[in-house]
């Protein structure tokens, strides 16, 4: 009927000829009604009409789109892990609206029954579902209604399709039933693929190339596909495409490298200056400065990598050189200003001193020139002359104006000697006189003002020191007036029966030591090796770990913890723990800033530092690096003095030093002792361990604590009376022998005491106990049998005899258990000491965490700038690693570059961890010293972490500048940088924990092993639940997933099944990119928290 209607010839009715466009519209409406009613196109005789065909094509395409839309919704429900935006992904695969030529060709080829050959939604679901199910053969689908063991028609062969029959209604949106298709089997249309075992056609996705196959008579394979003609079917020919799956299974339908396919039936070679990846629908223009080969899948963008390297290198060089130049220029400017201020102060001081001497001489000659009427006045010896009296005495003859001026200046100079404030007015001017810590005119904020103030004070102190040495009346007056302002809080430590017993071996390190160390005195602790000298001062400082402490220690007569005075106690360790990459002044200045009172002005802080530098004789090396074992710096003696100065700058009330003169020559030792003598003059209680001092040094000590082996006191009292005490025991020091050396040799047993003395050197501790009336331990009573009668001091000794029980040899298991128990107790004691909180009784408010963080930040920044060469080596190694891995591990489209990214994770983790170890492993001793002195551990940790963020930001760029441009992945540079940035942040935190928890060697070994082991664990097939749980705790798993997801998201169209298959096999989800990045950041934060907690716990 429709055919008859369409066969009417309009020329038979010339008088009623309709317009051409009206006939076209009528044909389109008829075609739409036919398809809307579900009718097929095989009986439509206008199929070749160029006017109707496009309209019919649009209708067929609409029906295909509706069917694929249903499949898209089903895919988004069941495959949401690989589809982020179902509509966008499906459009990139099946949106053929721009070119429907392949569909027009198929409609003409099938003569209108294309709708009977297209797969319904149910058949497409059946096919795509089979791709994600394990089957014995990848070439066959499961049996279905059309292709099974009893029915195998021609359309079941690969690349062929059949019609469902003229009388069967076809609904492409039917997602439940598979239609019977057994009629009119023929090869698949171009642009479609017909799976093996399914007798219908499915459109090939965009990015594929699906032409009809041609038979290769040599191999019998249908090219470009991989299937062969069925045997025993001579009339069968090659069909079309037979499969669309992942790239590994169906690479033949992907548009090949070097060509692009705007439609699924058209392949165009890449033009010059362009490149085409596999599965491309368009060619991409090569960037400028890149080289393109038409047959390669990517552009050669090495030039951009070299440019990025050059830019980074230039920026880093500018940054390091500019920063270092700024530091150098600033130091030079400060040095010039400091030298000018020092010279000015010294010049003015010398001028005033010369003028004062001249005024004294002039004043001494005045009585001879005075008139008789003035000579009748009674002179008061030592009384200063008033300027008015002096001017009246010089009235005849009248001197010249120049002489008047000179006389007035001399008299003013004479007054200045007794008035120190006038010296400051000379330097600062009448409006800027310093009062207390702040000038009365302008605040001492500028460096020049600070320098003027500091050096003026130093010149005053020099003059006062000279007056003190000369013991003149003005000097005594000035010292008396100045003592009150510079007096520090006094700390007196008394101890009674102080005993330290080593828990591991139950051995006495110190025993029954009684006495006191007084403020304003220098107490020397001496004795042979193993006498417990360091143990004694450590016990006084509250640093005895692993020992059982008995006895009593009183602070200013009160039973208080020594840690309550931590802020005003200085402890100089035996080893020179100073920062080698800082200058002498920077070491002292940092210690002063963090440990002096927060209320102290910057000028006074500088004054304190400058006073210590001058007193220790470090002026000539103040701007020299201290140096390390690898890099030579200042001398050993100067380094020792810097070690002492770091405690002196905090103005302690108690200063404990462990062998500060070891390794120093006689001159340096005396210089150090004179500096300590000035500290003692200000009320500082100084206790120092000394090993065989010279006689000159020995004379500079006030008190002496002499210990024998076993930690027993032999003498504790005035250093001047030690020879008198030993002489009373019959021990006389021979001539030309240094007394301390002689006493130590006696205690060591090297020198034998004279026979007339009748004293054995092992009896000396008992002699001292009896001399002072101390109680003698019961196990030493047998040594007192011959001494009790001769002792003049009453001693209450219990005569009870104690029989020592025989000690049985412990077994191996008992020894092992004791060893483990002792180590546990030792660690518990260390943790308890680190977390011990005592009430602060020092009355000193030091800078808070934020201010100390600022100071630490400046210090660490300077240290990093001076380690620029190490940073450059790190960057060069990263560049080399990126170039090697980028050239060896190309990003494969089969797994979205997972292999190359795996190597990247291992390499970057290893290199960044080893580099980050240096932040905390190299200066562990420095941190222990600073933390013990009361500096903020949090400020220390945050400052180092903040400075390391510079490397965290730069290192990913350095690596990607090689790796990214060598591999040229499809993911963006920004995505790769973000993932690598989070990875570096994560592994840096892990490195912190390793550096703090383990020794340096073990931390380096773990830094190498952990990335490899964790990456292998994360990439293993996760067949069991345990492996899945372990993989989730491995940071490489999240980093690799983020890399792969970012790259997989760039694959679309024909790559859709490859994307879903790869993600399904790896267990990744396209929506988890943010989760992966977040896990890496959280891992970095948690590892930093663990590192900081370990830093607090494992202090020593």
């Amino acid at each position: 009927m429709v055919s008859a209607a369409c066969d009417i010839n309009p020329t038979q009715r010339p008088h009623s000829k309709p317009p051409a466009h009206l006939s076209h519209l009528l044909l389109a409406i008829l075609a739409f009604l036919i398809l809307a009613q579900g009718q097929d196109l095989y009986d439509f005789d206008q199929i070749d009409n160029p006017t109707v065909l496009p309209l019919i094509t649009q209708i067929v395409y609409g029906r295909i789109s509706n069917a694929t839309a249903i499949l898209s919704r089903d895919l988004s429900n069941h495959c949401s892990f690989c589809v982020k935006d179902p509509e966008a992904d499906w459009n990139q695969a099946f949106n053929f609206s721009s070119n429907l030529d392949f569909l027009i060709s198929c409609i003409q080829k099938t003569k209108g029954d294309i709708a009977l050959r297209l797969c319904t939604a149910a058949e497409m679901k059946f096919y795509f579902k089979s791709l994600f199910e394990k089957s014995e053969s990848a070439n066959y689908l499961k049996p279905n209604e059309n292709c099974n063991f009893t029915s195998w028609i021609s359309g079941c062969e690969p690349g062929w399709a059949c019609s469902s029959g003229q009388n069967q209604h076809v609904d492409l949106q039917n997602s439940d039933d598979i239609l019977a298709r057994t009629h009119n089997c023929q090869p698949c249309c171009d642009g479609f693929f017909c799976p093996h075992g399914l007798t219908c056609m499915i459109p090939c996705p965009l990015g594929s190339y699906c032409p009809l196959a041609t038979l290769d008579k040599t191999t019998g394979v249908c090219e470009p596909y991989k299937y062969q003609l069925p045997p025993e079917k001579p009339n069968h020919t090659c069909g079309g495409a037979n499969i669309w799956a992942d790239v590994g299974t169906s690479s033949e339908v992907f548009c090949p490298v070097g060509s692009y396919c705007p439609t699924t039936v058209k392949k165009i070679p890449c033009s010059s200056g362009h490149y085409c990846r596999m599965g491309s629908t368009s060619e991409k223009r090569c960037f400028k400065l890149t080289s393109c080969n038409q047959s390669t899948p990517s552009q050669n963008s090495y030039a951009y990598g070299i440019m990025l390297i050059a830019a980074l290198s230039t920026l880093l060089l500018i940054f390091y050189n500019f920063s270092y130049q700024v530091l150098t220029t600033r130091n030079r400017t400060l040095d010039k200003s400091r030298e000018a201020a020092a010279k000015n102060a010294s010049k003015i001081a010398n001028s005033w001193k010369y003028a004062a001497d001249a005024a004294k001489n002039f004043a001494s000659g005045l009585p001879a020139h005075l008139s008789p009427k003035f000579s009748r006045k009674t002179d008061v010896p030592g009384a200063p002359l008033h300027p008015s009296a002096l001017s009246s005495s010089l009235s005849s003859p009248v001197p010249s104006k120049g002489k008047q001026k000179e006389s007035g200046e001399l008299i003013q100079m004479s007054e200045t000697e007794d008035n120190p404030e006038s010296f400051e007015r000379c330097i600062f001017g009448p409006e800027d006189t310093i009062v207390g810590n702040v000038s009365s005119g302008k605040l001492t904020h500028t460096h020049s003002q600070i320098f003027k103030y500091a050096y003026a004070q130093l010149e005053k102190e020099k003059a006062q020191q000279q007056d003190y040495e000369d013991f003149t009346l003005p000097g005594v007056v000035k010292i008396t007036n100045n003592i009150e302002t510079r007096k520090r809080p006094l700390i007196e430590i008394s101890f009674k029966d102080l005993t330290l017993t080593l828990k591991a071996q139950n051995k006495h390190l110190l025993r029954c030591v009684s006495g006191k160390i007084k403020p304003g005195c220098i107490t020397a602790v001496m004795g042979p090796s193993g006498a417990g000298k360091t143990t004694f001062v450590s016990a006084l400082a509250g640093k005895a770990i692993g020992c059982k402490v008995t006895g009593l220690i009183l602070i200013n007569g009160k039973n208080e913890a020594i840690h309550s005075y931590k802020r005003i106690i200085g402890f100089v360790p035996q080893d020179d723990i100073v920062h080698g990459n800082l200058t002498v002044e920077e070491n002292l200045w940092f210690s002063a800033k963090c440990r002096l009172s927060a209320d102290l002005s910057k000028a006074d802080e500088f004054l304190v530092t400058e006073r210590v530098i001058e007193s220790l004789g470090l002026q000539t090396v103040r701007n020299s690096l201290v140096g390390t074992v690898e890099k030579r710096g200042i001398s050993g003696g100067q380094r020792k003095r810097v070690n002492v100065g770091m405690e002196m700058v905090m103005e302690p009330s108690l200063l404990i030093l462990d062998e500060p003169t070891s390794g120093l020559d006689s001159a340096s030792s005396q210089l150090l002792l004179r500096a300590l003598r000035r500290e003692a003059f200000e009320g500082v209680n100084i206790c120092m361990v000394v090993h065989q001092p010279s006689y000159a040094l020995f004379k500079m000590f006030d008190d002496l604590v002499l210990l024998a082996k076993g930690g027993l006191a032999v003498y504790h009292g005035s250093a001047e009376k030690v020879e008198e005490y030993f002489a009373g025991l019959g021990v006389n020091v021979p001539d030309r022998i240094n007394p301390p050396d002689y006493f130590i040799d006696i205690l060591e047993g090297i020198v034998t005491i004279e026979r007339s003395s009748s004293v054995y050197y092992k009896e000396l501790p008992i002699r001292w106990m009896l001399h002072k009336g101390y109680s003698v331990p019961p196990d030493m009573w047998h040594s007192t049998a011959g001494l009790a009668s001769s002792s003049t001091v009453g001693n209450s000794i219990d005569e009870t005899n104690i029989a020592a029980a025989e000690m049985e040899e412990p077994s191996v298991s008992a020894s092992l258990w004791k060893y483990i128990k002792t180590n546990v107790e030792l660690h518990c004691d260390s943790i308890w000491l680190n977390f011990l909180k005592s009430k602060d009784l020092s009355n000193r408010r030091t800078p808070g965490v934020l201010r100390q963080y600022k100071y630490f930040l400046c210090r660490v920044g300077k240290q990093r700038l001076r380690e620029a060469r190490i940073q450059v080596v790190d960057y060069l190694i990263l560049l080399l690693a990126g170039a090697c891995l980028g050239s060896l591990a190309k990003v494969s489209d089969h797994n979205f570059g997972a292999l190359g990214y795996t190597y990247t994770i291992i390499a970057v983790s290893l290199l960044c961890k080893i580099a980050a170890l240096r932040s905390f492993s190299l200066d562990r001793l420095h941190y222990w010293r600073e933390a013990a002195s009361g500096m903020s551990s949090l400020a220390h940790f945050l400052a180092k972490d903040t400075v390391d963020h510079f490397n965290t930001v730069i290192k990913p760029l350095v690596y990607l500048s090689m790796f990214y441009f060598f591999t040229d992945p499809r993911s963006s540079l920004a995505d790769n940088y973000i993932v690598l940035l989070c990875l570096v942040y994560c592994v840096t935190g892990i490195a912190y924990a390793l550096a703090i928890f383990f020794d340096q060697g073990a931390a380096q070994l773990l830094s190498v092993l952990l990335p490899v082991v964790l990456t292998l664990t994360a990439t293993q097939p996760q067949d069991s639940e345990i492996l899945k749980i372990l993989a989730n705790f491995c940071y490489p798993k999240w980093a690799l997933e983020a890399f792969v997801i970012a790259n997989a998201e760039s694959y679309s169209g024909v790559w859709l099944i490859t994307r879903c298959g790869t993600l399904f096999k790896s267990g990744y989800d396209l929506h988890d990119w943010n989760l992966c990045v977040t896990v890496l950041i959280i891992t970095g934060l948690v590892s930093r928290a663990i590192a900081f907690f370990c830093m607090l716990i494992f202090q020593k």
Side-chain angles (χ1 to χ4, degrees):
M1 172 178 155
V2 175
S3 299
C6 292
D7 287 339
I8 296 176
N9 190 354
T11 59
Q12 297 177 359
R13 295 178 293 175
H15 301 287
S16 59
K17 181 179 180 180
H21 67 274
L22 185 59
S23 61
H24 295 167
L25 180 61
L26 179 61
L27 290 174
I29 294 174
L30 289 175
F32 176 76
L33 291 175
I34 290 171
L35 293 176
Q37 294 173 4
Q39 298 184 20
D40 300 317
L41 303 178
Y42 70 93
D43 58 347
F44 193 55
D45 58 358
Q46 297 294 325
I47 206 71
D48 294 327
N49 190 318
T51 305
V52 178
L53 186 57
L55 299 175
I56 295 176
T57 302
Q58 289 292 338
I59 295 172
V60 174
Y61 175 64
R63 296 177 67 179
I64 294 175
S65 298
N66 292 335
T68 55
I70 295 175
L71 191 62
S72 172
R73 291 192 295 270
D74 187 74
L75 181 67
S76 63
N77 293 332
H78 295 85
C79 299
S80 59
F81 65 92
C82 63
V83 178
K84 208 170 190 179
D85 186 350
E87 183 177 355
D89 286 334
W90 209 250
N91 283 334
Q92 290 176 348
F94 295 105
N95 187 359
F96 309 107
S97 58
S98 60
N99 193 330
L100 295 176
D101 291 345
F102 80 100
L103 191 56
I104 295 174
S105 175
C106 188
I107 292 174
Q108 293 175 339
K109 179 179 179 180
T110 58
K111 297 181 180 180
D113 71 340
I114 182 174
L116 302 179
R117 297 176 181 273
L118 292 174
C119 291
T120 62
E123 290 167 311
M124 285 190 284
K125 286 173 59 178
F126 177 75
Y127 171 75
F128 288 116
K129 186 178 179 181
S130 66
L131 297 177
F132 295 96
E133 294 178 353
K134 294 182 179 179
S135 60
E136 296 181 357
S137 176
N139 297 325
Y140 292 89
L141 297 176
K142 289 182 178 181
N144 57 74
E145 182 178 352
N146 299 309
C147 303
N148 50 53
F149 297 106
T150 59
S151 173
W152 192 266
I153 57 177
S154 298
C156 294
E157 300 298 334
W160 280 59
C162 301
S163 175
S164 61
Q166 301 178 3
N167 299 325
Q168 189 171 5
H169 177 71
V170 178
D171 183 8
L172 297 183
Q173 301 184 31
N174 185 357
S175 60
D176 298 325
D177 302 323
I178 296 179
L179 300 178
R181 302 177 189 272
T182 58
H183 302 284
N184 193 17
C185 297
Q186 63 182 39
C188 201
C189 292
D190 292 353
F192 291 85
F193 71 96
C194 300
H196 191 189
L198 199 63
T199 59
C200 62
M201 300 188 305
I202 301 175
C204 288
L206 293 174
S208 63
Y209 180 57
C210 301
L212 283 178
T214 57
L215 179 62
D216 187 346
K217 296 181 180 180
T218 305
T219 60
V221 176
C222 295
E223 296 290 346
Y225 312 111
K226 300 177 181 179
Y227 63 87
Q228 294 178 330
L229 293 179
E232 300 179 358
K233 289 186 178 182
N235 296 328
H236 201 85
T237 59
C238 289
N242 68 314
I243 189 173
W244 172 45
D246 61 281
V247 67
T249 306
S250 61
S251 59
E252 62 270 16
V253 300
F254 284 69
C255 191
V257 174
S259 301
Y260 68 97
C261 302
T263 65
T264 56
V265 295
K266 187 176 183 181
K267 181 178 68 172
I268 304 174
C270 266
S271 58
S272 178
H274 297 77
Y275 70 97
C276 298
R277 300 178 186 268
M278 177 181 280
S280 299
T281 58
S282 61
E283 60 181 357
K284 292 186 177 181
R285 181 178 297 276
C286 297
F287 296 134
K288 293 182 179 180
L289 304 178
T290 60
S291 59
C292 283
N293 191 339
Q294 300 176 10
S295 61
T296 57
S298 61
Q299 58 184 339
N300 185 350
S301 55
Y302 296 168
Y304 282 95
I306 296 174
M307 290 173 59
L308 183 57
I309 293 172
L312 283 174
S313 301
T314 304
L315 288 176
L316 291 174
L317 286 175
I318 291 174
F319 175 77
Y320 281 119
N321 289 333
F322 180 75
S323 301
Y324 190 78
Q325 191 66 29
V326 168
L327 288 177
T328 305
T329 305
R330 181 174 180 271
N331 289 337
R332 289 176 181 173
T333 304
L334 293 179
D335 288 342
K336 290 181 180 179
S337 179
R338 182 189 299 110
E339 290 174 2
K343 289 180 179 179
N344 186 38
S346 178
K347 180 179 179 181
I348 294 176
N350 292 332
S351 300
W352 279 87
K353 183 178 180 181
Y354 172 77
D357 293 339
K360 286 182 180 180
N361 296 333
F362 179 76
S364 62
L366 284 180
H369 300 284
L370 293 176
S371 61
K373 69 175 182 177
F374 288 107
S375 64
R376 288 195 296 266
K377 293 187 177 179
T378 305
D379 294 334
V380 180
L385 296 175
H386 197 272
S388 59
L390 183 60
S391 60
S392 60
S393 66
L394 298 176
S395 58
S396 179
V398 179
S400 63
K401 294 183 179 179
K403 289 186 177 291
Q404 287 181 349
K405 181 177 180 182
E406 181 181 359
S407 301
E409 288 180 352
L410 291 177
I411 295 171
Q412 185 180 2
M413 297 291 183
S414 180
E415 289 181 345
T416 304
E417 183 186 9
D418 295 329
N419 186 11
E421 298 300 329
S422 59
F423 178 69
E424 291 173 352
R425 285 197 298 270
C426 175
I427 294 180
F428 291 95
E431 296 181 357
D432 293 334
T433 303
I434 300 294
V435 179
N437 296 336
V438 185
S439 66
S440 59
K442 300 177 182 178
L443 295 177
T444 53
H445 285 168
T446 65
H447 291 291
S448 59
Q449 291 175 335
I450 292 174
F451 294 154
K452 287 180 181 180
Y453 166 68
Y455 286 108
Q457 293 295 109
L458 289 176
E459 291 297 333
K460 285 175 52 180
E461 293 175 5
K462 288 180 182 178
Q464 292 170 1
Q465 182 68 23
Q466 186 64 38
D467 289 340
Y468 170 69
E469 292 176 358
D470 297 340
F471 208 72
T472 60
L473 181 60
V476 173
V477 173
K478 282 188 284 187
I479 292 172
T480 305
N481 294 333
N482 197 44
I483 264 182
E484 297 179 358
T485 60
R486 296 184 56 188
K487 207 72 173 179
R488 304 178 191 176
L490 302 181
I491 293 182
E492 180 186 77
I493 299 182
S494 56
F495 39 92
K496 183 178 180 181
D497 293 333
L498 182 60
T499 302
L500 269 73
T501 306
L502 193 63
K503 294 181 179 179
Q505 304 174 3
N506 197 24
K507 177 183 177 182
H508 295 299
L509 301 180
L510 199 68
R511 195 170 190 195
C512 299
V513 179
S514 300
K516 66 172 62 174
I517 55 177
K518 300 180 289 296
C521 298
I522 300 179
T523 303
V525 181
M526 298 173 56
S529 299
K533 303 183 295 294
T534 300
T535 303
F536 172 68
V537 295
S538 298
L540 296 183
K543 298 178 180 293
I545 300 177
C547 299
K548 180 182 179 182
V549 181
T550 58
L552 190 62
I553 299 179
L554 301 178
I555 313 297
N556 293 332
K558 299 179 181 178
N559 189 6
E560 295 171 341
I562 192 67
H563 298 91
S564 300
Y565 299 89
K566 180 169 58 176
R567 295 182 178 179
I568 56 175
I569 294 177
F571 185 88
V572 179
Q574 185 174 354
D575 299 324
D576 300 332
I577 304 174
V578 291
H579 293 279
N581 47 12
L582 294 178
T583 64
V584 171
E585 184 178 11
E586 287 168 351
N587 273 287
L588 301 178
W589 182 239
F590 175 78
S591 182
K593 274 182 165 295
C594 291
R595 301 176 66 184
L596 285 173
S597 175
D599 301 327
L600 207 62
S601 66
K602 189 175 181 180
D604 286 325
E605 290 177 351
F606 178 79
L607 172 61
V608 172
T609 307
E610 200 66 26
R611 184 187 296 131
V612 172
I613 290 176
E614 187 168 347
S615 64
L616 293 176
L618 299 172
Q619 300 96 324
T620 58
V621 295
R622 64 184 307 151
N623 292 323
S624 302
L625 292 177
V626 173
T628 59
V629 177
E630 297 84 6
K631 187 175 181 180
R632 178 68 177 174
I634 59 179
S635 66
Q638 292 166 341
R639 185 184 180 94
K640 177 72 71 174
R641 280 178 274 164
V642 174
N643 187 34
V644 177
M646 290 177 64
E647 300 300 324
M648 291 176 60
V649 292
M650 53 88 62
E651 294 195 331
S653 295
L654 172 63
L655 183 59
I656 300 175
L657 307 95
D658 191 3
E659 298 193 17
T661 58
S662 297
L664 298 182
D665 55 17
S666 179
S668 298
S669 299
Q670 290 187 29
L671 180 64
L672 176 61
L673 261 295
R674 281 196 294 268
L676 294 177
R677 172 58 61 190
R678 296 189 189 98
E679 295 291 307
F681 184 73
E682 297 180 14
V684 181
N685 190 345
I686 299 176
C687 180
M688 56 188 299
V689 176
V690 186
H691 187 67
Q692 290 186 331
S694 64
Y695 186 73
L697 290 182
F698 181 71
K699 286 297 184 181
M700 299 179 72
F701 298 138
D702 297 311
D703 292 334
L704 174 66
V705 176
L706 195 57
L707 298 176
K709 286 189 175 182
L712 293 166
V714 174
Y715 178 81
H716 180 20
S718 175
E720 298 177 352
K721 298 181 180 180
V722 61
E723 295 184 53
E724 178 183 347
Y725 168 74
F726 277 99
L729 298 178
V731 180
N732 297 309
V733 180
D735 295 337
R736 298 178 179 270
I737 298 297
N738 188 14
D741 292 344
Y742 185 71
F743 296 145
I744 292 175
D745 291 341
I746 289 176
L747 296 176
E748 191 74 49
I750 299 175
V751 176
T752 305
I753 303 176
E754 299 177 359
R755 296 180 180 179
S756 59
S757 174
S758 70
V759 176
Y760 188 50
Y761 74 95
K762 291 186 178 181
E763 299 175 355
L764 293 176
I766 306 298
R767 293 275 186 176
W768 175 252
M769 292 180 185
L770 296 175
H771 174 74
K772 299 295 291 184
Y774 300 146
S775 58
V776 180
D779 59 337
M780 298 177 66
W781 285 344
H782 64 278
S783 301
T784 64
L787 302 176
S789 58
S790 61
S791 176
T792 58
V793 182
N795 183 26
S796 56
I797 301 176
D798 189 2
E799 299 297 337
T800 307
N801 294 325
I802 300 177
E806 295 183 358
M807 300 294 295
E808 297 181 358
E809 187 70 20
S811 62
V812 176
S813 59
S815 300
L816 180 62
W817 169 249
K818 185 178 181 181
Y819 174 77
I820 296 174
K821 182 180 178 182
T822 302
N823 282 336
V824 171
E825 290 178 352
L826 181 62
H827 286 294
C828 290
D829 289 347
S830 177
I831 294 173
W832 175 84
L833 181 63
N834 295 333
F835 285 92
L836 179 64
K837 298 295 182 181
S838 302
K839 183 180 179 181
D840 183 32
L841 302 175
S842 60
N843 295 326
R844 175 181 290 186
R845 187 177 64 87
T846 55
V849 176
L850 292 180
R851 284 184 61 182
Q852 290 194 40
Y853 169 74
K854 173 186 173 183
Y855 302 148
F856 273 104
L857 199 62
C858 295
R859 186 188 76 177
V860 178
K862 290 180 180 179
Q863 291 175 317
R864 291 292 187 271
L865 288 175
R866 291 182 177 130
E867 296 171 354
R869 182 175 298 178
I870 299 177
Q871 303 291 333
V872 170
V873 172
D874 289 342
Y875 295 153
L876 289 178
I877 294 175
L878 274 175
L879 284 174
L880 183 62
C884 294
L885 295 180
S887 58
L888 295 177
K890 294 291 184 181
V891 175
S892 173
D893 291 327
H894 295 72
N895 53 15
F896 306 130
L899 182 61
Y901 287 132
T902 301
Y903 294 157
T904 292
I905 293 171
I906 294 176
V908 173
S909 298
L910 190 150
L911 295 176
C912 292
K913 277 183 181 178
I914 292 179
L917 291 177
R918 294 194 296 265
S919 295
F920 288 94
S921 62
L922 296 182
D923 60 351
R924 185 181 297 183
L925 295 177
H926 303 83
Y927 164 71
W928 289 341
R929 176 177 182 177
E930 292 169 355
S933 65
M935 293 188 191
S936 173
S937 299
L938 181 60
H940 173 89
F941 185 87
L942 291 179
K944 283 185 172 291
D945 189 32
T946 302
V947 174
D948 281 346
H949 285 341
F950 178 80
N951 286 330
T952 304
V953 173
I954 296 297
K955 284 185 176 180
L957 279 177
V958 173
Y959 180 83
L960 289 176
S961 64
M962 287 283 96
F963 179 82
Y964 184 84
F965 293 103
F966 268 80
T967 57
D968 196 17
R970 300 200 182 193
S971 55
S972 66
L973 178 62
D975 289 338
N976 284 267
Y977 174 75
I978 292 174
V979 177
L980 205 57
L981 176 70
C982 297
L983 175 63
V984 174
Y985 180 79
C986 172
V987 299
T988 302
I990 296 175
Y992 290 167
L994 295 178
I996 293 172
F997 190 82
F998 296 99
D999 293 332
Q1000 188 173 359
Q1004 291 177 349
L1005 181 61
L1006 287 173
S1007 296
V1008 175
L1009 291 179
L1010 271 182
V1012 179
V1013 173
L1014 294 181
T1015 303
L1016 292 177
T1017 303
T1019 54
Q1020 287 296 315
Q1022 301 173 7
D1023 299 329
S1024 64
E1025 195 67 26
I1026 296 177
L1027 285 177
K1028 290 181 180 180
I1029 296 174
L1030 289 177
N1032 289 332
F1033 285 98
C1034 299
Y1035 72 87
K1037 183 255 185 186
W1038 302 100
L1040 181 60
E1041 182 174 355
F1043 277 124
V1044 172
I1045 288 174
N1047 204 23
E1049 196 172 353
S1050 303
Y1051 288 77
S1052 59
V1054 70
W1055 294 97
L1056 187 60
I1057 293 180
T1058 305
R1059 180 213 289 177
C1060 292
T1062 302
L1063 295 180
F1064 177 77
K1065 183 178 179 180
S1066 302
Y1068 298 158
D1069 193 328
L1070 208 61
H1071 301 83
D1072 288 346
W1073 189 84
N1074 292 329
L1075 175 63
C1076 296
V1077 172
T1078 303
V1079 169
L1080 290 176
I1081 296 175
I1082 292 176
T1083 303
L1085 291 173
V1086 171
S1087 58
R1088 281 167 170 78
I1090 294 174
F1092 178 68
F1093 185 71
C1094 292
M1095 190 173 70
L1096 295 179
I1097 290 179
F1098 297 106
Q1099 294 179 21
K1100 293 184 180 179

